[in-house]
Amino acid sequence: MITREFADRFAQEWIDAWNGHDLDRVLSHYADDFEMSSPYIAQIAGEPSGMLKGKPAVAAYWTHALEQMPTLHFELHSTLLGENSLVIYYRNARGMTTEVFFFGPNGLVVQASAHYA
Protein backbone atom coordinates (compact mmCIF):
# COMPACT_ATOMS: atom_id res chain seq x y z
CA MET A 1 0.00 0.00 0.00
CA ILE A 2 1.25 3.47 -0.87
CA THR A 3 1.39 5.75 2.14
CA ARG A 4 0.60 9.46 2.08
CA GLU A 5 4.19 10.22 3.12
CA PHE A 6 5.65 8.15 0.28
CA ALA A 7 3.24 9.67 -2.26
CA ASP A 8 3.94 13.26 -1.22
CA ARG A 9 7.70 12.71 -1.14
CA PHE A 10 7.67 10.94 -4.53
CA ALA A 11 5.51 13.64 -6.13
CA GLN A 12 7.65 16.52 -4.90
CA GLU A 13 10.90 14.79 -5.85
CA TRP A 14 9.50 13.92 -9.31
CA ILE A 15 8.33 17.52 -9.89
CA ASP A 16 11.66 18.93 -8.67
CA ALA A 17 13.61 16.57 -10.95
CA TRP A 18 11.59 17.64 -13.98
CA ASN A 19 11.82 21.32 -13.08
CA GLY A 20 15.59 20.89 -12.80
CA HIS A 21 15.60 19.24 -16.25
CA ASP A 22 17.64 16.47 -14.62
CA LEU A 23 16.77 13.40 -16.67
CA ASP A 24 18.99 11.05 -14.64
CA ARG A 25 17.18 12.17 -11.48
CA VAL A 26 13.79 11.69 -13.16
CA LEU A 27 14.74 8.21 -14.40
CA SER A 28 15.95 7.17 -10.93
CA HIS A 29 12.28 6.74 -9.97
CA TYR A 30 11.70 4.02 -12.58
CA ALA A 31 12.53 0.33 -12.95
CA ASP A 32 14.85 -0.46 -15.87
CA ASP A 33 12.09 -2.12 -17.92
CA PHE A 34 9.20 0.20 -17.05
CA GLU A 35 6.48 0.98 -19.57
CA MET A 36 5.40 4.53 -20.42
CA SER A 37 2.35 5.60 -22.36
CA SER A 38 1.49 9.09 -23.55
CA PRO A 39 -0.36 10.60 -26.48
CA TYR A 40 2.82 12.56 -27.25
CA ILE A 41 4.94 9.43 -27.74
CA ALA A 42 3.50 8.96 -31.22
CA GLN A 43 4.19 12.59 -32.10
CA ILE A 44 7.63 13.04 -30.51
CA ALA A 45 9.10 9.52 -30.61
CA GLY A 46 7.30 8.35 -33.75
CA GLU A 47 5.90 5.29 -31.97
CA PRO A 48 2.30 4.88 -33.22
CA SER A 49 1.24 2.74 -30.23
CA GLY A 50 1.94 5.63 -27.84
CA MET A 51 3.90 3.23 -25.61
CA LEU A 52 7.59 2.78 -24.89
CA LYS A 53 9.34 0.17 -22.77
CA GLY A 54 12.64 0.48 -20.93
CA LYS A 55 14.76 3.35 -19.70
CA PRO A 56 16.80 3.76 -22.91
CA ALA A 57 13.70 4.21 -25.10
CA VAL A 58 11.93 6.53 -22.66
CA ALA A 59 15.13 8.50 -22.00
CA ALA A 60 15.52 9.16 -25.73
CA TYR A 61 11.88 10.33 -25.92
CA TRP A 62 12.19 12.57 -22.86
CA THR A 63 15.53 13.99 -24.05
CA HIS A 64 13.92 14.99 -27.33
CA ALA A 65 10.88 16.43 -25.52
CA LEU A 66 13.11 18.52 -23.21
CA GLU A 67 15.01 19.85 -26.24
CA GLN A 68 11.69 20.98 -27.72
CA MET A 69 10.56 22.57 -24.43
CA PRO A 70 13.59 24.26 -22.82
CA THR A 71 11.42 26.23 -20.37
CA LEU A 72 9.46 23.18 -19.18
CA HIS A 73 8.08 23.75 -15.69
CA PHE A 74 5.58 21.76 -13.63
CA GLU A 75 3.43 23.05 -10.77
CA LEU A 76 2.15 20.37 -8.39
CA HIS A 77 -1.53 20.62 -7.50
CA SER A 78 -2.31 17.33 -5.77
CA THR A 79 -1.34 13.71 -5.30
CA LEU A 80 -3.92 10.91 -5.21
CA LEU A 81 -3.28 7.54 -3.59
CA GLY A 82 -4.04 4.05 -4.81
CA GLU A 83 -3.19 0.54 -3.62
CA ASN A 84 0.16 0.26 -5.39
CA SER A 85 -0.21 3.37 -7.45
CA LEU A 86 -0.52 7.12 -7.28
CA VAL A 87 -1.58 9.97 -9.50
CA ILE A 88 0.18 13.31 -9.73
CA TYR A 89 -2.09 16.16 -10.86
CA TYR A 90 -0.09 19.14 -12.06
CA ARG A 91 0.03 22.11 -14.41
CA ASN A 92 2.50 22.45 -17.24
CA ALA A 93 2.71 24.79 -20.24
CA ARG A 94 -0.07 22.84 -21.98
CA GLY A 95 -2.45 23.01 -19.03
CA MET A 96 -3.56 20.51 -16.43
CA THR A 97 -2.02 17.06 -16.62
CA THR A 98 -2.08 13.80 -14.70
CA GLU A 99 0.47 11.05 -14.54
CA VAL A 100 -0.49 7.66 -13.17
CA PHE A 101 2.31 5.60 -11.62
CA PHE A 102 2.20 1.89 -10.75
CA PHE A 103 4.92 0.65 -8.40
CA GLY A 104 6.73 -2.64 -8.11
CA PRO A 105 7.71 -4.25 -4.80
CA ASN A 106 11.03 -2.35 -4.81
CA GLY A 107 9.26 1.02 -4.76
CA LEU A 108 10.18 1.90 -8.35
CA VAL A 109 7.69 2.76 -11.08
CA VAL A 110 6.97 -0.20 -13.37
CA GLN A 111 4.27 1.47 -15.46
CA ALA A 112 3.31 5.09 -16.03
CA SER A 113 0.76 6.84 -18.16
CA ALA A 114 0.39 10.56 -18.93
CA HIS A 115 -2.98 12.22 -19.53
CA TYR A 116 -3.51 15.76 -20.80
CA ALA A 117 -6.42 18.19 -20.72
Side-chain angles (χ1 to χ4, degrees), residues 45-73:
E47 173 52 54
S49 70
M51 295 189 73
L52 294 171
K53 183 172 179 141
K55 280 187 179 181
V58 178
Y61 159 62
W62 284 341
T63 296
H64 189 63
L66 282 170
E67 289 168 355
Q68 291 182 1
M69 297 177 275
T71 60
L72 179 80
H73 181 80

Side-chain angles (χ1 to χ4, degrees), residues 89-112:
Y89 184 51
Y90 64 98
R91 179 180 302 282
N92 66 23
R94 294 182 173 135
M96 296 310 295
T97 303
T98 64
E99 299 237 6
V100 180
F101 302 91
F102 293 91
F103 294 84
N106 61 358
L108 295 175
V109 176
V110 295
Q111 185 178 14

Side-chain angles (χ1 to χ4, degrees), residues 12-52:
Q12 193 59 61
E13 169 59 26
W14 188 86
I15 292 284
D16 291 346
W18 275 110
N19 286 344
H21 295 205
D22 187 341
L23 194 53
D24 288 334
R25 189 171 158 198
V26 172
L27 286 166
S28 73
H29 297 99
Y30 298 85
D32 289 340
D33 62 347
F34 83 101
E35 295 181 359
M36 178 71 202
S37 66
S38 168
Y40 290 110
I41 288 175
Q43 176 185 345
I44 294 172
E47 173 52 54
S49 70
M51 295 189 73
L52 294 171

Side-chain angles (χ1 to χ4, degrees), residues 68-87:
Q68 291 182 1
M69 297 177 275
T71 60
L72 179 80
H73 181 80
F74 296 163
E75 179 186 325
L76 180 62
H77 278 262
S78 60
T79 306
L80 309 173
L81 300 178
E83 173 91 18
N84 289 309
S85 62
L86 63 86
V87 175

